[in-house]
Amino acid sequence: MSSARKQGRARFAVQEERDGWLFAAPFVVGALAFVVFPLAYSVALVFLEWDLVRPPAFVGLANIRKLFQDPMVGTSLYNTAYYTFLGVPLHLLVALTLALALNARARGVSAYRTAFYLPSITPSVASAVIWLQILHPEFGMLNDAFEKLGISPQRWLFEPSLTKPAFILMSLWSIGPQMVIFLAGLQAVPEVLYEAAHADGASAWQRFRHVTLPLLTPTIFFNIVVGIIASFQVFTTSFMMTGGGPQNATLFMVLQIYYVAFSYSRFGYASAIAWILFLIVAGFTVLQFYIGRRWVYYETQL
Amino acid sequence: MASRVAPSSPTVASAARSPGSVLRRRARRMAPNALLHLVVLPLAVVFSVPLLWVISTSLKPQTEVFSWPIQWIPTHVRWSNYVEAITRIPAATFASNTAFIVVVSTTLTVLSSSMVGYSLARLRWRGRQIVFAVVVVTMMLPPVVTIVPAFLMYKAIGWVDTYLPLILPSSTAGAAFYIFLMRQYFTGLPYELEEAARIDGATSWRIWWQIMLPLCGPVLATVAIFTALHHYNDFMWPLIILSSPDHYTLALGLRMFVDMNTSYWHLIMAFSTLMLLPIIALFFIAQRYFIRGIHLTGLAGR
């Protein structure tokens, strides 16, 4: 009897082992074919010169050396860093402000939430088209508003010093998800803490500074990480609106990788640039998790 | 992540104590609400204006598109712009291509992420921990690193200009995040459900299909919505993979329209409006899954 049961369990364990792999197969096979292999291939490509016309040629470290000599790499790095480190803090500030304002049980909050959220699910090509018109130097809505305020119209997408600020302004239009994440974070702050602070005579600012902010740090932290990673991969905006110009002012890293690979057919060099981008993004992810562990407040630490 | 905290009962309880405090509390609650509308309403208008403006332009005669000062309401509403927009480019082809990609990818992603998630959460097999670690690493990998080598790989096996590279990678390895989501959800379900079925001799397939899947409707809906949104909006990857206009998606079609002739802005805006309609409809139908999904993923619309 007991041996039969043991046998049954053993048979089930064998079956479970097989089922486990079978169920996981879509990911395992997909990861090998579409991630592991291309990654290995990408490492090999760094050492090759290949334009798909002539056979690939081994060039050693030439692509890596070129990274340090190519002024365009510096330009695209600077542009991407500018866009990210000015844009992301601004996104957080606006998204948090909106979330604080909407964290009220008042009429119309869900309509507001919809108004702020909808732009973020607009297809990126469509928003590029829309903003091309808004930023139009002669007939654009933004210059129309400027004129009404008595400010002279600007040549947004044609003036190198203004294109990146214009793109950052445009990116503010799609902060909906960050705002919703902040709202969730705010709603998770226990009401009793506010009431206790209130009873102790804390002002609105003190309640924000000493109750809301500490409890919101994981959310802020999450938004920073996701924001930086997404921002470093900006592509459609500059591809559609400026093609990287004027004077390479909006040549971002992914756009540069795209041009080097698919316009100039320099697949080896494009891979080398892609690895730089990868190292930067991975670096920020690791760095932020390391820093985050120090200043992020988690409830379990109480 | 706690999504919503119940409305604070302490406030109600203490308010009920004396009639004077009721009024004071109500006044205090009204004041921030007025402030809310005062600050948020103008911002909500600013956020909504671009979308309203697209609709306005889509109904203008060509001569009014570039008028200064801006003509907000067209003098003659031209619905015929819409007809012209979808006949000037093969919009029906683009729409059916997009529908095909969205439907197939979404179905496959939902199936594969729930299968793999089930395996990682519920089945015991050797290698499970390693596969889970790979899922987490894949989740954090910026897709841009593999774009160049993946393109070369698909070129070599004749997949370029087909839908396979748009569908298969994203519904297997690319679904890492959804796998993670499903795994977390399955881990939280009670084990008794499964054990009873096991004793009755049900196979893993039956347990997954008949017991587990019916229990995770909301998560599946969230995965489906975000997958569909991603494929509908995706631009860069189809741009790289699809070369013949017959195979274009709506996003590529819109770009083709912009490249064709810049004096067709009224038609381009009509096309953009049509492209936005399904997304807006989806948002209003499935709003709570969107909000839930953002809480879970924070990645909507990227």
Side-chain angles (χ1 to χ4, degrees), chain B residues 78-89 91 267 270 274:
Chain B
R78 270 174 58 111
W79 292 104
S80 60
N81 284 349
Y82 282 82
V83 181
E84 212 181 316
I86 57 172
T87 45
R88 206 171 277 274
I89 56 168
L267 303 184
L274 289 176

Side-chain angles (χ1 to χ4, degrees), chain A:
Chain A
M1 189 69 188
S2 110
S3 85
R5 200 187 296 159
K6 230 180 248 168
Q7 221 176 355
R9 201 176 297 148
R11 188 149 14 99
F12 174 64
V14 171
Q15 207 177 36
E16 202 176 9
E17 185 86 27
R18 191 201 60 197
D19 287 348
W21 279 104
L22 279 176
F23 272 83
F27 176 79
V28 174
V29 174
L32 287 174
F34 306 125
V35 178
V36 176
F37 180 75
L39 273 182
Y41 197 1
S42 178
V43 175
L45 274 174
V46 171
F47 305 99
L48 298 179
E49 179 94 68
W50 193 12
D51 58 6
L52 285 180
V53 183
R54 285 160 294 182
F58 181 79
V59 292
L61 296 176
N63 282 330
I64 293 168
R65 255 196 310 268
K66 192 169 162 35
L67 280 177
F68 295 97
Q69 295 156 352
D70 185 354
M72 297 299 257
V73 172
T75 305
S76 76
L77 254 171
Y78 169 76
N79 289 340
T80 315
Y82 181 119
Y83 180 75
T84 301
F85 296 121
L86 237 63
V88 172
L90 210 59
H91 294 166
L92 289 192
L93 202 68
V94 177
L96 181 57
T97 309
L98 286 178
L100 284 170
L102 291 186
N103 189 33
R105 273 167 285 117
R107 293 171 79 104
V109 162
S110 88
Y112 286 138
R113 198 178 55 185
T114 305
F116 292 125
Y117 182 67
L118 267 188
S120 70
I121 52 172
T122 303
S124 54
V125 199
S127 32
V129 167
I130 295 167
W131 280 84
L132 261 178
Q133 289 295 287
I134 293 174
L135 299 169
H136 196 286
E138 289 162 67
F139 308 104
M141 204 193 289
L142 193 60
N143 277 347
D144 184 71
F146 266 39
E147 199 170 65
K148 288 197 176 90
L149 295 169
I151 308 168
S152 58
Q154 304 294 321
R155 293 169 47 77
W156 294 106
L157 299 178
F158 297 90
E159 170 61 46
S161 64
L162 285 180
T163 26
K164 282 188 287 283
F167 277 11
I168 290 171
L169 188 75
M170 175 185 162
S171 67
L172 279 174
W173 194 50
S174 44
I175 53 164
Q178 277 115 304
M179 181 199 74
V180 175
I181 293 167
F182 275 135
L183 264 173
L186 287 173
Q187 278 159 359
V189 177
E191 192 91 8
V192 275
L193 292 183
Y194 288 121
E195 278 171 12
H198 201 263
D200 290 346
S203 67
W205 167 252
Q206 283 172 324
R207 269 174 287 160
F208 172 73
R209 173 65 191 82
H210 297 290
V211 178
T212 314
L213 212 53
L215 284 164
L216 210 58
T217 43
T219 315
I220 296 173
F221 171 67
F222 177 82
N223 269 338
I224 292 176
V225 178
V226 173
I228 289 185
I229 291 172
S231 180
F232 258 93
Q233 296 180 68
V234 58
F235 171 75
T236 312
T237 320
S238 57
F239 178 81
M240 285 291 293
M241 295 173 69
T242 56
Q247 293 166 34
N248 298 318
T250 56
L251 184 75
F252 297 120
M253 291 197 80
V254 177
L255 187 66
Q256 189 189 21
I257 294 165
Y258 176 86
Y259 282 149
V260 171
F262 302 104
S263 301
Y264 311 141
S265 293
R266 302 191 53 191
F267 294 101
Y269 187 44
S271 281
I273 306 173
W275 276 106
I276 295 283
L277 178 59
F278 170 76
L279 289 178
I280 292 171
V281 171
F284 274 110
T285 313
V286 172
L287 182 78
Q288 285 176 333
F289 275 104
Y290 176 73
I291 298 172
R293 213 180 302 161
R294 283 207 218 145
W295 63 268
V296 167
Y297 163 87
Y298 288 104
E299 207 164 349
T300 47
Q301 287 170 346
L302 258 178

Side-chain angles (χ1 to χ4, degrees), chain B residues 3 19 29 100 144 176 243 293:
Chain B
S3 57
R29 215 185 290 163
F100 177 79
V144 67
S243 50

